[in-house]
Amino acid sequence: MLNDTEANDGNTLEARTMNKPVKVEAAPGRLLLDVLQQTIPFSHGLLLSTLPRASLQIVQPGKSSDVITKTYATEFQKEDKAAWQAVLHGRPVRGTEAWGAGFETSRFFELFLKPQGLRHVVAVPLDGAILDGYPAVAYLCRGPDESDFTDAEIRDVERVTPSAAEDLANARHSREPQGCRDNEPWSHRPSQRVYIFSADGSVVYPKEGIPLDHRLVSELGQTAKQAAEQAKKGPALADRVTLADTWGDLWVFRGQHYSEYPALGKGAFVFFCLQPDSCEWVAVRPADVQADPEIVRLLPTLKFMQQEFHQNPTLDDIAKKAHLSPFHFHRRFTDLIGQTPKHFLLACQIQQTKQMLMSRQKELAQIATDCGFAHQSHFTSRFKQATGLTPTRWRRLASQIAEGATAH
């Protein structure tokens, strides 16, 4: 594993090894890789994450080759059977288990691992490494002169990974705004936020079932089938997919159709990624995603919009934070974040208005003014556009959901 020193923000975490707690500086994914290397030896470690982009990508370590990072995201993540089997089954998976006897003759081995001097791999699934609900994988590798990972070593990794991953998630949660950390029953934050369907509308992931309202699950399946059919004629699926649950509340997903995805099996697959709340992005730091310089460049714009949404900043204002032209910024932001800057800015406003609606401390007209809407009718129109419900109706529904959660 690379041993370069990563930057940190001065925080520390108590990372647990098998023997005792160890105080280490909070360089998020790198911290996890260091803890794992204190547990078992390996020569190279990577942290992969889905984020809300309907694919796996390398986010750590920061000095990963730009070529390796890009080719993995655009090509090899679709062939990475070890990583995806680890995600699907929720346990570590060796390369030899994922590919069987054909491991060392696979394209993934010949064109991705072998050129880096790597021969043995084990993919370890993680929860909440970058954002809650988006699967991540620690990818541990050894060279041709080293032995494969033993069953005992994998058991050791399984023992320390949950607590180390929990430390990372807790540190990130502590950076979220208070209202964001509350995770109210009416918020759109189920335990899993990436869903994969086959071309016939069957659920591929998560295997234990999708933790969403039954109408949403049905709509996702139908949308997947339609996307697979449409792909035979032209573009398969719009990036932004909005679906209503049983109560009429709108949920926003990023959709992605793949005509083939060998890591998951034969045929086409459709990914749906539930968009994070805008305030969750604020807790993601450059150190979390150091291997993805484009995302690092956009993080200041996310924080800027979250802090200044009530001032209605222009696209020019926002693009300056990334040192990009408005046109180029808009294109890269939409591709990497999964929504347009305009949609993200509205999400910031809607998130705040929901909290204010539930507090019942201000009238609708004052909420509209405080959150940057021109007037109350403008607020009502945009709120209904984003949620499918008027502010008053949404508050009534959210109160019912909260009361139901308290009763149970």
Side-chain angles (χ1 to χ4, degrees):
M1 186 178 72
L2 300 179
N3 289 315
D4 52 291
T5 301
E6 305 282 2
N8 65 80
D9 64 357
N11 293 331
T12 59
L13 298 176
E14 190 175 84
R16 302 177 182 88
T17 65
M18 287 186 298
N19 299 318
K20 60 181 180 179
V22 178
K23 287 283 186 179
V24 285
E25 295 299 328
R30 181 53 188 271
L31 164 63
L32 182 82
L33 294 174
D34 285 346
V35 170
L36 293 179
Q37 193 165 52
Q38 292 173 30
T39 306
I40 65 170
F42 54 90
S43 57
H44 193 78
L46 297 172
L47 181 62
L48 315 175
S49 178
T50 53
L51 294 178
R53 288 169 66 174
S55 64
L56 275 174
Q57 64 194 88
I58 299 171
V59 293
Q60 289 285 353
K63 289 191 176 180
S64 297
S65 162
D66 189 47
V67 173
I68 290 173
T69 301
K70 288 183 177 179
T71 56
Y72 182 87
T74 58
E75 182 177 1
F76 292 112
Q77 59 99 5
K78 293 188 289 185
E79 301 182 25
D80 193 347
K81 292 184 178 181
W84 280 109
Q85 285 190 22
V87 169
L88 292 176
H89 300 297
R91 63 173 180 82
V93 175
R94 297 183 189 87
T96 49
E97 293 177 82
W99 280 271
F103 176 46
E104 294 193 9
T105 59
S106 66
R107 281 187 79 253
F108 188 83
F109 181 87
E110 288 289 343
L111 300 181
F112 183 73
L113 294 174
K114 190 175 180 179
Q116 300 184 67
L118 304 174
R119 181 177 181 181
H120 308 291
V121 301
V122 60
V124 184
L126 306 169
D127 291 324
I130 305 297
L131 287 166
D132 289 342
Y134 298 91
V137 174
Y139 219 69
L140 314 182
C141 310
R142 288 174 176 169
D145 298 328
E146 300 171 286
S147 61
D148 201 354
F149 296 91
T150 66
D151 289 345
E153 288 176 321
I154 290 176
R155 287 194 295 270
D156 288 341
V157 166
E158 285 185 291
R159 278 199 293 270
V160 302
T161 299
S163 58
E166 183 180 1
D167 284 337
L168 293 183
N170 289 339
R172 175 166 41 79
H173 294 160
S174 71
R175 299 193 298 269
E176 293 176 351
Q178 180 59 49
C180 195
R181 297 199 298 270
D182 292 342
N183 195 16
E184 299 288 355
W186 42 262
S187 66
H188 296 176
R189 295 191 211 168
S191 57
Q192 297 286 341
R193 291 195 269 183
V194 175
Y195 315 112
I196 306 174
F197 288 77
S198 59
D200 65 0
S202 301
V203 178
V204 175
Y205 175 80
K207 286 188 171 294
E208 64 274 15
I210 296 179
L212 295 178
D213 166 71
H214 67 89
R215 178 177 173 178
L216 278 175
V217 176
S218 176
E219 289 288 332
L220 288 171
Q222 289 298 318
T223 303
K225 289 175 65 175
Q226 292 167 6
E229 286 297 317
Q230 183 61 33
K232 300 173 183 177
K233 307 172 186 177
L237 189 69
D239 266 357
R240 184 179 173 85
V241 178
T242 57
L243 300 172
D245 62 20
T246 301
W247 301 277
D249 193 12
L250 288 181
W251 294 58
V252 182
F253 302 85
R254 181 176 192 174
Q256 177 67 53
H257 171 271
Y258 291 97
S259 58
E260 58 178 16
Y261 208 102
L264 296 175
K266 295 182 179 180
F269 294 89
V270 181
F271 286 58
F272 296 98
C273 299
L274 186 60
Q275 289 293 300
D277 288 340
S278 56
C279 59
E280 292 180 89
W281 275 112
V282 176
V284 178
R285 300 175 302 170
D288 296 334
V289 289
Q290 286 183 326
D292 192 334
E294 287 197 289
I295 284 285
V296 168
R297 192 172 197 175
L298 293 179
L299 289 179
T301 70
L302 296 167
K303 187 173 183 179
F304 175 71
M305 283 188 276
Q306 176 65 27
Q307 293 175 336
E308 304 295 331
F309 65 85
H310 57 287
Q311 301 289 351
N312 285 307
T314 66
L315 184 63
D316 283 357
D317 294 332
I318 302 167
K320 286 177 182 177
K321 298 297 179 179
H323 305 287
L324 294 170
S325 70
F327 173 80
H328 188 55
F329 166 71
H330 188 281
R331 183 168 61 84
R332 297 311 296 148
F333 186 98
T334 304
D335 180 49
L336 297 171
I337 304 301
Q339 54 188 311
T340 66
K342 182 179 180 180
H343 279 131
F344 186 86
L345 201 59
L346 177 60
C348 294
Q349 292 177 298
I350 297 302
Q351 177 71 18
Q352 181 63 28
T353 61
K354 285 181 175 180
Q355 293 173 359
M356 296 175 76
L357 284 168
M358 292 303 289
S359 72
R360 298 179 180 271
Q361 295 178 358
K362 295 184 178 181
E363 299 295 329
L364 293 184
Q366 188 60 52
I367 293 175
T369 299
D370 290 350
C371 294
F373 295 100
H375 41 70
Q376 184 176 332
S377 61
H378 180 229
F379 163 45
T380 299
S381 174
R382 296 306 300 277
F383 190 94
K384 188 172 182 180
Q385 174 191 344
T387 69
L389 303 168
T390 64
T392 301
R393 186 179 175 190
W394 179 88
R395 179 164 56 189
R396 187 181 306 122
L397 169 64
S399 296
Q400 291 172 353
I401 294 174
E403 289 170 4
T406 301
H408 289 84

